Amino acid sequence: MAEVYARVIVPRPLDEAFTYRVPSQLEKSVGVGHRVVVPFGGKRFVTGIVESLSPVKPADVASVKEIAEVLDPGPMVVHPQIKFWQWLADYYMCAVGDVYKAAVPAGLKLESESVVEADPDADPELLGALTAKDFALVETVRNKKKISLKDLAKALEVSSVESRVAHLVELGILKTHESLVARYRRVKVQMVSPTIAAGDNAALAAAFETVKRSQGQQKALLQLIALSGFNNATVPTKPVARQDLLESSADIRWEHIIALKNKGLADITVREVSRFSAPEDGAGAFTSPMPSLSAPQEKALREIHESFMEKAVTLLRGVTSSGKTELYIHLIDYVLRQNRQALFLVPEIALTTQLTRRLQHVFGRKVKIYHSKFSDNERVDIWRDMLADPGPCVVIGARSAVFLPFTNLGLVIVDEEHEPSYKQYDPAPRYNGRDAAIVLASLHGAKTLLGSATPTVETYYKAKISGKYGLVELLTRYGDVSLPKIQVVDLAAEREKHAVDGTFSNIMVAEGRHTLQAGRQLIFFHNRRGFSPRARCGQCQFIPKCDHCDVALTYHRRTNTLECHYCGATYPVPKVCPNCHEPAIRIEGYGTERVEDGIASLYPEARILRMDLDTTRNKEAYSQIIDDFSAHKADILVGTQMVTKGLDFGEVGLVGVVNADNIINYPDFRSSERAFNMLEQVAGRAGRRAGEPGKVMIQTYTPQHPVISFVKAHDYEGFFAHELEQRRQFCYPPFSRVINIYLKHRDRAVVDRVAREYAAMLRGSLGNRVNGPIEPPVARVASLYIRQIMLRIETEASIRAVKDILRQAYIALNASPVKTGVTLHYDVDPV
């Protein structure tokens, strides 16, 4: 019989799949997309994904190891996921193993770890000669019988035990072996079923006669009969979950149910269930009809369908509150009725809360949610659910949802497509969720709809100028609600008049008070979290910085610490200045914490919520803040950019931008676009209710800045034309493709030398397309010095040829003695 060889992708930062021989007993069990356990690197085992099968042994492979185990009866990765992974690895210039690590939940990636146990044949005399520390280690192992190295170090309260264990293994006192560790735990529920046939009243009467001496057993049997549907003879009885049965009456205890089982009146079984089992009513049921559409929406929906007949991708440019979500619902309904799947991407996890409820009321249990705030076990459950039921559904999620195992994708919607949050920065793959979703849709033969009130310059260029994308525009708010009036407050002029209290102008404070008195809500937007952006010595002007990063520390009053927002390090607030040794450290500037405090003193009667990274560290926190503000349990919402992204609050009368300058004045070619989008989007949170126009107040020291003028006029077209001309002059996207190259090392001199060498290599092939190396705005993070090289490549140039040049230069750099441990990564299409 001919041998079979499998190419297996392993979860390591490696470009190529590895070849393994399929043992004859596993040949019928292995297929493309299957999870297999393979030896990798000595005695260790990892979970790989079969990329392909072949009867031909690769000529360049000397010895081939065997697949050790097949984990599932069917594929865990389905067509065309592997092709999608390979595209991501190629386009974003990373290893396919990195894509695998990012794509598949950790619970599906079993890995072996070293397990330690005592050697029963150990010489007792050796034990007597051990040091006290080593003897304690051996005793811990003996007490546990078997223990992993990680758990052993934890038990001994030390950081590492590897060297000590290796020494004891050499002496023959301990022995180690590799053991596969499964991180995923299935949810198992005990189910109780009546043994009496539905509708058999005689048997039921006999059953109650059997339990008449126990009031608890009678109650348990009565509730079991009621909950199992016994009285409906047209359908079979259904099992009842243990928890549901116990909670149905305070008189029922588990021993009553066991007694029913012992008397032959009930069966108890164990069933595996998803952590996302849909409820029997409420959000799990269809409670709302399809939303009705206005005439402009009907026209836009018709134009989208017509555009999809000619284009694979269509841009829906709809002003804020124009009713884009209603159009999305109609498009999803169309796809689901074709028995296909839909993917609905949003830039922030916060947005899934409102959208999920709206969609669940229309589509019920066909709605699934997926994002990084879910636990790993929860993500595995969703993955398995989609494989087990490949029927029509709509998945709402953040960028990572593109990795789910879709089998019949018909539509991808990317809402707020302009958002930088769609970009993954670290670790690899550094992909853009929007662009990845477009490719995913094309692999499935699906259509993609990009939605935004303020599309990126590149997207609008492709739709409006080049014609690569279709374009549909919806430029009136739903119900003819007016766009909010925008008032620009010149902070410099207001300070001259002494009309500023802290960071709030008197005019904004007065407008806020008027809004509250009218019974409406306020949003204050400030794109800097923490209490204060910095501490400073009033004597010598010293600013405390992170020991590991070139950034000033941010003061957080909640913990009374200085924190680094890049590496996460925390420091106590110094009582005296480390530089001049004077007790002159002061807290300066404003973060969202301090803005919240200022608002509380200005509006003492108001109820205030804050939405930033510090207050939304779990998925429940997002939902709670949104629910409370939507229900008007709070009057004021303070937040960072999270509050700008598509949230729908009907009672907001005023949006205040505390300081527009810290988002305009950033050293990046996209800073104007980012500022315009953010300001226009946050403005769109105001005045979303008919008959009650909203207002936006923007505080700035640069009221003459072009971005402020365009935002004030809600003039996206004007901004686009202005920005496009700037990009054309300096050859930035959409007139070029940008690839940033980052080099990192702990030694500043080394990274400088290597960066210059690498840039010189690239200039030999790419000439003046190479810019740098330069120090980025933050030139050291986590004790690593960073240098940046930027490539600007013509759009008509072969990006594959450019990447080949980069790879060849990298190979040459690795071969050069100058490299000395410098790490390098690429950021393709940075945002």
Side-chain angles (χ1 to χ4, degrees):
M1 183 181 292
E3 291 189 327
V4 178
Y5 296 90
R7 295 281 289 168
V8 177
I9 301 170
V10 296
R12 295 290 185 271
L14 301 165
D15 289 320
E16 297 295 328
F18 289 79
T19 301
Y20 291 87
R21 191 174 72 81
V22 181
S24 57
Q25 69 271 21
L26 296 180
E27 284 182 9
K28 292 182 179 179
S29 305
V30 175
V32 173
H34 279 67
R35 288 192 307 156
V36 292
V37 176
V38 293
F40 190 82
K43 297 179 181 179
R44 293 189 67 82
F45 290 85
V46 299
T47 301
I49 300 293
V50 177
E51 177 191 75
S52 62
L53 294 166
S54 171
V56 180
K57 178 183 175 182
D60 58 343
V61 177
S63 62
V64 179
K65 296 177 181 179
E66 285 190 348
I67 290 174
E69 186 179 350
V70 181
L71 292 174
D72 309 288
M76 194 59 65
V77 175
V78 295
H79 178 80
Q81 279 180 288
I82 292 177
K83 189 174 182 181
F84 180 53
W85 292 2
Q86 289 164 338
W87 177 85
L88 285 165
D90 180 62
Y91 187 81
Y92 291 105
M93 303 186 68
C94 65
V96 71
D98 282 326
V99 180
Y100 169 29
K101 284 176 66 178
V104 177
L108 293 176
K109 298 191 288 279
L110 281 70
E111 294 208 17
S112 68
E113 65 179 18
S114 296
V115 172
V116 187
E117 56 185 316
D119 191 328
D121 300 324
D123 186 342
E125 290 187 10
L126 291 173
L127 291 172
L130 292 178
T131 64
K133 282 187 176 180
D134 282 348
F135 186 79
L137 186 153
V138 173
E139 284 299 294
T140 302
V141 172
R142 281 180 163 176
N143 291 335
K144 297 289 186 180
K145 293 188 172 57
K146 291 182 181 180
I147 187 170
S148 70
L149 287 174
K150 181 180 176 182
D151 289 341
L152 180 58
K154 190 175 180 181
L156 295 172
E157 298 181 344
V158 296
S159 59
S160 173
V161 292
E162 279 83 350
S163 60
R164 288 168 62 192
V165 168
H167 173 65
L168 293 167
V169 169
E170 252 183 60
L171 294 174
I173 296 170
L174 299 179
K175 58 183 182 179
T176 64
H177 61 88
E178 293 296 305
S179 175
L180 279 177
V181 178
R183 299 181 182 89
Y184 174 64
R185 295 289 181 270
R186 300 174 188 269
V187 176
K188 295 181 179 181
V189 176
Q190 287 179 304
M191 308 296 291
V192 185
S193 307
T195 57
I196 310 160
D200 190 342
N201 292 322
L204 182 61
F208 275 107
E209 183 67 23
T210 305
V211 298
K212 67 180 182 180
R213 293 173 181 265
S214 169
Q215 191 174 9
Q217 291 176 34
Q218 286 184 52
K219 193 75 171 179
L221 181 58
L222 184 66
Q223 289 299 104
L224 178 60
I225 293 301
L227 295 173
S228 67
F230 175 87
N231 295 320
N232 186 353
T234 60
V235 294
T237 57
K238 61 182 181 181
V240 181
R242 166 181 170 159
Q243 194 68 19
D244 293 340
L245 189 53
L246 292 175
E247 290 178 354
S248 67
S249 172
D251 299 327
I252 300 175
R253 296 193 300 275
W254 185 240
E255 53 261 36
H256 298 142
I257 300 168
I258 295 294
L260 295 182
K261 178 181 182 297
N262 293 337
K263 292 176 179 179
L265 301 178
D267 282 334
I268 300 175
T269 56
V270 177
R271 176 191 294 179
E272 286 184 4
V273 299
S274 167
R275 289 171 173 82
F276 294 93
S277 296
E280 293 297 322
D281 51 20
F286 298 79
T287 58
S288 299
M290 291 292 294
S292 59
L293 301 180
S294 65
Q297 287 176 314
E298 289 275 11
K299 179 175 179 288
L301 182 61
R302 186 171 59 254
E303 289 176 353
I304 290 169
H305 281 296
E306 290 169 356
S307 177
F308 279 160
M309 294 175 70
E310 297 181 5
K311 309 281 187 181
V313 182
T314 293
L315 169 65
L316 171 61
R317 181 189 156 221
V319 297
T320 55
S321 196
S322 59
K324 294 188 290 293
T325 304
E326 285 79 8
L327 295 182
Y328 298 155
I329 290 173
H330 277 265
L331 290 165
I332 291 166
D333 178 65
Y334 176 78
V335 169
L336 296 184
R337 283 189 283 109
Q338 293 178 319
N339 287 319
R340 302 192 73 183
Q341 299 165 323
L343 171 61
F344 193 148
L345 287 186
V346 293
E348 285 283 354
I349 295 167
L351 293 180
T352 62
T353 300
Q354 287 187 329
L355 282 170
T356 298
R357 288 175 187 154
R358 291 184 68 178
L359 267 65
Q360 280 178 331
H361 283 303
V362 179
F363 302 117
R365 295 176 180 85
K366 292 180 180 177
V367 178
K368 300 179 188 291
I369 316 155
Y370 191 83
H371 54 64
S372 60
K373 289 291 183 181
F374 284 151
S375 71
D376 193 66
N377 281 332
E378 289 172 326
R379 279 183 274 177
V380 172
D381 272 356
I382 297 170
W383 192 286
R384 288 184 178 277
D385 285 351
M386 291 198 66
L387 289 172
D389 180 12
C393 68
V394 52
V395 176
I396 302 175
R399 60 176 181 257
S400 59
V402 298
F403 294 122
L404 283 169
F406 295 97
T407 52
N408 192 16
L409 192 60
L411 174 68
V412 172
I413 296 169
V414 184
D415 194 26
E416 311 292 356
E417 69 82 29
H418 63 276
E419 277 292 341
S421 303
Y422 281 120
K423 178 71 173 182
Q424 162 79 12
Y425 291 101
D426 277 308
R430 294 170 177 85
Y431 67 101
N432 188 307
R434 175 200 61 205
D435 299 338
I438 292 171
V439 173
L440 177 70
S442 70
L443 292 173
H444 282 269
K447 301 297 184 181
T448 303
L449 183 68
L450 309 176
S452 177
T454 56
T456 63
V457 170
E458 291 98 312
T459 297
Y460 199 60
Y461 179 85
K462 290 175 183 176
K464 184 84 171 180
I465 309 296
S466 74
K468 182 177 179 181
Y469 296 166
L471 176 63
V472 176
E473 298 189 288
L474 185 59
L475 303 181
T476 57
R477 280 184 150 190
Y478 185 79
D480 291 325
V481 174
S482 301
L483 286 167
K485 180 184 176 183
I486 295 180
Q487 180 177 350
V488 178
V489 179
D490 184 343
L491 279 177
E494 294 301 304
R495 287 197 183 278
E496 283 184 10
K497 295 187 293 186
H498 304 289
V500 178
D501 182 0
T503 192
F504 297 97
S505 61
N506 291 351
I507 188 171
M508 181 184 278
V509 173
E511 189 65 38
R513 189 167 289 114
H514 174 74
T515 303
L516 291 173
Q517 288 169 352
R520 303 186 72 186
Q521 293 172 294
L522 283 70
I523 290 178
F524 285 102
F525 165 60
H526 187 58
N527 203 33
R528 192 186 293 275
R529 65 187 175 97
F531 184 82
S532 166
R534 63 186 171 273
R536 185 196 295 270
C537 175
Q539 188 73 23
C540 69
Q541 306 306 307
F542 170 81
I543 296 175
K545 291 188 175 182
C546 178
D547 292 341
H548 314 288
C549 311
D550 285 342
V551 290
L553 297 169
T554 300
Y555 174 67
H556 287 252
R557 197 182 65 173
R558 172 179 51 87
T559 56
N560 192 34
T561 57
L562 296 172
E563 296 185 14
C564 175
H565 287 176
Y566 280 80
C567 72
T570 61
Y571 303 83
V573 180
K575 293 188 180 345
V576 297
C577 173
N579 186 53
C580 69
H581 307 293
E582 293 291 328
I585 293 292
R586 299 172 183 170
I587 303 301
E588 295 183 347
Y590 284 80
T592 46
E593 267 189 82
R594 195 167 190 178
V595 168
E596 181 184 19
D597 276 4
I599 290 168
S601 64
L602 293 169
Y603 309 109
E605 73 289 351
R607 299 162 297 174
I608 304 169
L609 290 171
R610 191 174 93 243
M611 181 186 282
D612 56 25
L613 189 62
D614 297 316
T615 62
T616 56
R617 294 193 181 273
N618 60 67
K619 62 179 184 287
E620 287 79 16
Y622 279 106
S623 303
Q624 194 62 55
I625 292 170
I626 291 168
D627 287 348
D628 287 350
F629 197 64
S630 295
H632 213 144
K633 293 180 181 177
D635 306 298
I636 300 173
L637 178 63
V638 181
T640 57
Q641 59 182 341
M642 290 181 182
V643 303
T644 72
K645 300 177 181 180
L647 294 171
D648 188 3
F649 301 121
E651 300 296 318
V652 174
L654 174 68
V655 169
V657 178
V658 176
N659 188 342
D661 300 316
N662 60 16
I663 57 174
I664 293 174
N665 302 316
Y666 191 81
D668 179 72
F669 77 90
R670 295 187 193 274
S671 61
S672 291
E673 177 182 33
R674 195 177 295 117
F676 177 86
N677 290 349
M678 203 174 289
L679 293 172
E680 185 66 20
Q681 289 287 336
V682 77
R685 301 315 107 205
R688 299 173 75 94
R689 191 169 67 185
E692 298 188 22
K695 188 170 185 179
V696 179
M697 302 188 79
I698 300 175
Q699 296 187 151
T700 176
Y701 287 98
T702 55
Q704 71 283 356
H705 196 286
V707 166
I708 299 293
S709 302
F710 290 125
V711 170
K712 186 176 180 180
H714 297 291
D715 185 9
Y716 174 80
E717 292 277 0
F719 169 76
F720 172 75
H722 176 270
E723 184 68 11
L724 194 66
E725 186 53 38
Q726 296 288 311
R727 303 275 187 95
R728 193 192 309 274
Q729 287 181 25
F730 297 100
C731 196
Y732 280 118
F735 304 105
S736 67
R737 305 285 292 278
V738 171
I739 301 174
N740 281 335
I741 305 167
Y742 293 95
L743 301 96
K744 300 179 182 180
H745 196 271
R746 291 185 179 276
D747 188 311
R748 184 200 299 265
V750 170
V751 76
D752 277 336
R753 187 172 68 253
V754 174
R756 288 194 299 270
E757 175 94 6
Y758 190 53
M761 289 180 182
L762 295 178
R763 283 195 182 91
S765 302
L766 297 173
N768 61 6
R769 300 176 184 88
V770 181
N771 298 271
I774 62 167
E775 289 190 6
V778 178
R780 186 173 64 118
V781 174
S783 299
L784 295 173
Y785 291 92
I786 307 168
R787 296 297 177 265
Q788 176 186 337
I789 299 169
M790 183 173 71
L791 306 184
R792 279 182 288 186
I793 310 297
E794 302 90 332
T795 53
E796 62 273 14
S798 167
I799 198 72
R800 183 173 292 278
V802 172
K803 290 175 181 178
D804 286 341
I805 291 170
L806 290 174
R807 288 191 181 97
Q808 292 303 316
Y810 182 64
I811 291 169
L813 185 70
N814 273 329
S816 165
V818 74
K819 184 173 185 290
T820 60
V822 170
T823 60
L824 180 150
H825 75 255
Y826 307 96
D827 185 7
V828 180
D829 300 336
V831 298

